[in-house]
Amino acid sequence: MYCYADLSDKELIALVLKKDEQAFGVLYERYFPLLFIYARKIIADEEVVKDLLQDVFVSLWSKTPLAINRSFSSYIYAAVRFQLFDYMDKQKVRKGYADSLQYFLDQGEYSTDNYLLEKELQQQIEKEIMNLPPKMREIFILSRQEEKSYEEIAKQRNVSLNTVRKQVSNALKIMRSKLTLLFFTFF
């Protein structure tokens, strides 16, 4: 019979390969506290560290032909280090997804608000255009909505170029004064 506590890591690993639970328990007792201290320097959450270390030891037990080409100490510390880095990478990805989702939600809320404000503002502009005197309204619509040049409007309406300029200028003054009041009510 063995005194497991007196066996070297190499001898314990040979027994673990034969699925000796006591040998595995000795390795666990020997390394878990040291690995816990090491991992806690990297990750603050004790429960997460315990879970990660359990995963490493379960993996150690589960691997049928366990190939350790260096000391067990180096092997187990490297396995824990990889497990910690993997966990941190996953946390970064999760945080990235969470940040991205929050940004989308924030932007979605603003874009909806902006869309509603824009619609309301557009309706108010249309209303104010319709309140312009008829000839001024026709010239303004040709200029701003149909994007015709002043020369084209003058020919189409059979009026002088100065009349077109004056009508558009007056319409803009009226619209500006009405919409300035409206703008301050919205914001």
Side-chain angles (χ1 to χ4, degrees):
M1 215 33 152
Y2 306 110
C3 179
Y4 286 96
D6 294 336
L7 296 176
S8 70
D9 291 347
K10 193 172 189 176
E11 293 169 318
L12 289 170
I13 289 297
L15 292 171
V16 167
L17 287 173
K18 296 176 185 173
K19 298 298 181 193
D20 186 319
E21 290 179 19
Q22 284 184 312
F24 180 78
V26 169
L27 281 175
Y28 183 87
E29 295 293 323
R30 191 176 284 177
Y31 283 96
F32 189 89
L34 299 171
L35 293 170
F36 182 80
I37 293 168
Y38 168 73
R40 282 274 290 143
K41 290 178 183 176
I42 299 169
I43 296 177
D45 189 333
E46 284 185 23
E47 293 305 312
V48 169
V49 169
K50 287 177 185 177
D51 289 344
L52 293 173
L53 292 178
Q54 291 296 333
D55 290 345
V56 169
F57 279 99
V58 166
S59 173
L60 176 68
W61 179 257
S62 303
K63 288 185 179 178
T64 327
L66 185 63
I68 299 177
N69 301 328
R70 53 188 180 229
S71 72
F72 178 72
S73 174
S74 298
Y75 173 84
I76 197 75
Y77 273 94
V80 169
R81 188 172 49 253
F82 288 128
Q83 191 77 359
L84 293 171
F85 290 154
D86 186 49
Y87 172 79
M88 290 187 303
D89 284 344
K90 287 178 184 173
Q91 290 304 104
K92 285 179 188 174
V93 169
R94 285 185 184 134
K95 180 164 178 19
Y97 284 143
D99 291 347
S100 176
L101 178 61
Q102 188 60 50
Y103 177 78
F104 174 77
L105 291 174
D106 291 344
Q107 292 303 311
E109 182 177 322
Y110 292 130
S111 68
T112 302
D113 290 346
N114 288 342
Y115 176 75
L116 292 173
L117 286 173
E118 183 181 330
K119 279 297 220 188
E120 197 170 329
L121 186 60
Q122 184 62 36
Q123 288 172 352
Q124 196 63 38
I125 290 170
E126 292 296 325
K127 179 183 168 198
E128 294 304 327
I129 290 172
M130 296 313 288
N131 288 336
L132 293 172
K135 289 187 182 195
M136 185 185 291
R137 178 178 55 232
E138 291 171 15
I139 291 174
F140 184 78
I141 288 172
L142 290 171
S143 170
R144 295 300 191 244
Q145 291 179 346
E146 295 183 22
E147 299 179 10
K148 294 192 182 243
S149 70
Y150 288 174
E151 291 83 16
E152 291 174 318
I153 297 169
K155 283 181 187 174
Q156 182 180 344
R157 302 297 302 159
N158 201 21
V159 293
S160 73
L161 189 58
N162 282 338
T163 302
V164 173
R165 283 188 186 127
K166 188 69 174 162
Q167 291 291 324
V168 171
S169 175
N170 288 341
L172 286 172
K173 284 179 187 174
I174 292 169
M175 297 291 291
R176 204 172 290 127
S177 69
K178 302 272 184 171
L179 294 176
T180 301
L181 292 173
L182 178 67
F183 181 78
F184 286 118
T185 22
F186 274 125
F187 304 101

